[in-house]
Amino acid sequence: MPTDQPAYLRIAGDLRAQIVSGELGPGAKLPTEAVIRRTYGTSVTVAKNAIAILKGEGLVEGRRGSGVYVRTVRRIVRESHGRDLRTRPGPTSPFARDAAAAGHQGEWEDQSEHTTAPADIAARLGIDPGAPVMRTRYRFLADGEPIQLSTSWEPLTLTIGTPVERPENGPQVGVVARMDTIGVHIDECEEKVADRPAHADEIEALDLSPRRAHVQVIRRTYLAQGRPVETADIVLPAGRYELVYRYPIE
Amino acid sequence: MPTDQPAYLRIAGDLRAQIVSGELGPGAKLPTEAVIRRTYGTSVTVAKNAIAILKGEGLVEGRRGSGVYVRTVRRIVRESHGRDLRTRPGPTSPFARDAAAAGHQGEWEDQSEHTTAPADIAARLGIDPGAPVMRTRYRFLADGEPIQLSTSWEPLTLTIGTPVERPENGPQVGVVARMDTIGVHIDECEEKVADRPAHADEIEALDLSPRRAHVQVIRRTYLAQGRPVETADIVLPAGRYELVYRYPIE
DNA sequence: TCGAATTTGTGCGTATGTATC
DNA sequence: GGATACATACGCACAAATTCG
């Protein structure tokens, strides 16, 4: 009998088990602090600590004056593979299509500007640090709620003076199609997926709870004949997405 | 001036900024509770709450009697793409190769048994629920520390009676090569990556701190001519891996 | 419309245990 | 041994939001 476990962890474990088993489904109300205190015979502090654990895991959210509730998470599916999806019915923007598939209304804001490549971006693009690039920041919303950030960089030498210099309608058609119109034929994509705590600006931009400020970051690079032509950092709130990759073997 | 932010969040934000900027590098000691209390003019509770936030994010860990320290995370790179890597020098097992690349000594435990397919696995394998399958559980260790769990399922109709019926040396060569020897030529792979709170058994098996019990789950399916021949759930502690995908376009 | 009760959020102080230095 | 430092746990106060009669 492992009574060596602290009380607040035991309570958090009990509640977590009820949540993952579905006994406490999405939207269900957790026992109040007072009830927890009585049933386990502990202090307010312990009850609060236990709840704080579950909040940190993103499983529950508290509402002042009301209670603590199991969070409802609708996962957005983000598909990554080589086939062209633009022939499917629905929105042509990759993001809007994913959002629509999850039953959301997708919108976005963007902002482009000329700048120079910092060292890490230069390395990813295979250009010299300080070389001119077009940087575009996007903020994607689903049903008005921020759900994805991304920043993309393109070497200006590629696009300058062409009709697609500014990628403002980039998400409307996707990078691959946009580059195609200027004779740059993207044939390979590399994505590096990692998990990390969110930065302060990301917490604000994505409207995250500071207690569960984790994000998935996708560092994506598009290549044409082995040469990088675009790279982007895509920042997603952890737990809200399912990333799907499909690729051929050998 | 947003003073509307609670003190403990402001302090957590300050410390987080110092960590992600590298000012407080891996292994660095954070200010003690007493110092935090004095510099911000708050109570112990606030200092503790701030630290608890960072712990929940997996950024720091406390050591009794000593202090709170920035965690050192060596990311393991897990590469997923179609090319055969077995010609490279080093270990031939996919896991041991990734571990070696990160400077770890890779080992694993495994356990295979005949069983029947539950509904979700049957759906992924395109077989009937209850059909016989070979299930293998792995637990991977890097330098003695558990770092990856995985459970794989294969339809028994494929492998029964063949030399590769038991995949016990599976991770030694990989599924693709193993299936190749019995004439099953895997030509496609699908991986679905998601983030979720860890289950109780995963917390134990991966030796996770209950405060940051998040995992990345990869649901991988190998296909041969469009037919699923193996599927696996790969469970990774969130934040310890970088997943690399490379795939062709169009 | 109002007010009282409930419930969480934030913050204070303190005590005890345990590990480190 | 003593000082330091975190972990756990107790208690309380007030604010802010909700709920409900």
Side-chain angles (χ1 to χ4, degrees):
Chain A
M1 181 78 151
T3 312
D4 54 347
Q5 204 179 205
Y8 72 99
L9 289 184
R10 186 169 112 67
I11 298 173
D14 281 4
L15 294 172
R16 188 192 298 109
Q18 292 180 47
I19 294 169
V20 301
S21 78
E23 199 177 329
L24 284 170
K29 187 170 185 286
L30 266 66
T32 68
E33 289 174 4
V35 171
I36 292 177
R37 235 184 50 218
R38 279 196 296 273
T39 55
Y40 288 91
T42 64
S43 70
V44 226
T45 312
V46 169
K48 278 183 190 295
N49 283 354
I51 299 287
I53 297 279
L54 300 178
K55 281 186 200 158
E57 293 171 3
L59 278 178
V60 304
E61 70 183 352
R63 294 181 214 144
R64 248 182 197 159
S66 175
V68 178
Y69 299 85
V70 179
R71 272 166 49 100
T72 310
V73 280
R74 264 197 294 178
R75 275 230 161 77
I76 295 181
V77 176
R78 177 180 181 277
E79 288 191 53
S80 293
H81 46 75
R83 291 192 263 294
D84 192 352
L85 299 174
R86 277 174 295 149
T87 53
R88 285 193 194 171
T92 54
S93 145
F95 168 77
R97 186 180 48 240
D98 292 343
H104 293 286
Q105 174 75 28
E107 303 164 293
W108 65 87
E109 314 155 351
D110 58 59
Q111 180 199 354
S112 294
E113 57 184 334
H114 287 196
T115 181
T116 55
D120 56 331
I121 297 303
R124 280 158 62 174
L125 287 174
I127 61 178
D128 293 325
V133 290
M134 176 70 80
R135 182 183 65 199
T136 307
R137 298 184 200 273
Y138 299 93
R139 184 158 171 270
F140 297 92
L141 310 167
D143 300 334
E145 188 186 4
I147 194 98
Q148 173 179 334
L149 304 176
S150 91
T151 308
S152 83
W153 294 266
E154 294 172 4
L156 256 183
T157 49
L158 262 184
T159 54
I160 197 161
T162 73
V164 299
E165 179 181 336
R166 304 192 82 80
E168 267 140 12
N169 35 18
Q172 285 170 24
V173 290
V175 183
V176 177
R178 231 183 82 246
M179 287 288 179
D180 222 46
T181 65
I182 58 165
V184 174
H185 304 298
I186 291 171
D187 54 14
E188 197 178 6
C189 181
E190 183 188 76
E191 302 201 354
K192 299 183 176 180
V193 182
D195 225 83
R196 62 161 173 77
H199 300 162
D201 55 333
E202 293 164 345
I203 292 175
E204 192 185 5
L206 288 173
D207 199 21
L208 296 177
S209 148
R211 301 196 95 109
R212 52 170 305 275
H214 254 255
V215 292
Q216 278 184 303
V217 181
I218 304 172
R219 304 209 309 281
R220 181 191 64 193
T221 305
Y222 278 120
L223 303 108
Q225 280 89 48
R227 193 167 64 115
V229 298
E230 192 245 21
T231 194
D233 279 0
I234 301 164
V235 178
L236 315 169
R240 303 217 41 179
Y241 276 83
E242 178 179 70
L243 313 178
V244 179
Y245 292 95
R246 199 171 303 127
Y247 53 89
I249 298 284
E250 234 143 336
Chain B
M1 179 80 151
T3 312
D4 54 348
Q5 205 180 206
Y8 70 98
L9 288 185
R10 188 169 110 68
I11 297 173
D14 282 4
L15 294 172
R16 187 192 297 111
Q18 292 179 47
I19 293 169
V20 300
S21 77
E23 198 176 330
L24 284 171
K29 187 171 185 289
L30 267 65
T32 67
E33 290 174 2
V35 172
I36 292 176
R37 236 184 50 218
R38 279 196 296 274
T39 55
Y40 288 92
T42 64
S43 69
V44 228
T45 312
V46 169
K48 278 184 190 297
N49 283 354
I51 300 286
I53 298 277
L54 300 178
K55 280 187 201 157
E57 294 172 2
L59 277 178
V60 303
E61 69 182 353
R63 293 181 216 145
R64 265 189 179 143
S66 174
V68 178
Y69 298 85
V70 179
R71 273 165 51 99
T72 310
V73 279
R74 267 197 292 178
R75 276 227 162 80
I76 295 181
V77 176
R78 177 180 180 278
E79 289 191 51
S80 293
H81 48 73
R83 289 191 265 294
D84 191 353
L85 300 173
R86 277 173 297 148
T87 54
R88 286 193 194 171
T92 54
S93 143
F95 169 77
R97 186 178 49 239
D98 291 344
H104 293 287
Q105 174 75 27
E107 302 164 293
W108 65 88
E109 313 155 352
D110 59 57
Q111 181 198 353
S112 293
E113 56 184 336
H114 287 196
T115 180
T116 53
D120 56 332
I121 297 302
R124 281 157 63 174
L125 287 174
I127 61 179
D128 293 326
V133 290
M134 175 71 81
R135 182 182 66 198
T136 307
R137 299 184 199 274
Y138 298 94
R139 184 158 171 270
F140 297 93
L141 311 167
D143 300 333
E145 188 186 4
I147 193 98
Q148 173 179 333
L149 303 176
S150 91
T151 308
S152 83
W153 294 265
E154 295 173 2
L156 257 183
T157 49
L158 263 184
T159 55
I160 197 161
T162 72
V164 300
E165 178 181 338
R166 304 191 83 80
E168 267 141 13
N169 36 16
Q172 284 170 25
V173 291
V175 182
V176 178
R178 230 183 83 247
M179 287 289 181
D180 223 45
T181 65
I182 58 165
V184 174
H185 305 298
I186 291 172
D187 54 15
E188 196 177 7
C189 180
E190 183 189 78
E191 302 201 356
K192 299 183 176 180
V193 182
D195 225 83
R196 62 161 172 77
H199 300 162
D201 55 334
E202 293 164 345
I203 292 176
E204 192 185 4
L206 289 171
D207 199 20
L208 297 176
S209 147
R211 301 195 95 108
R212 49 173 305 276
H214 254 254
V215 291
Q216 279 185 303
V217 181
I218 305 173
R219 303 208 311 280
R220 181 190 65 194
T221 305
Y222 279 120
L223 304 108
Q225 279 90 48
R227 193 167 64 116
V229 297
E230 192 246 21
T231 194
D233 280 0
I234 300 164
V235 178
L236 314 170
R240 305 219 37 180
Y241 276 83
E242 178 179 71
L243 313 178
V244 179
Y245 293 94
R246 201 170 302 126
Y247 53 92
I249 298 285
E250 236 140 339

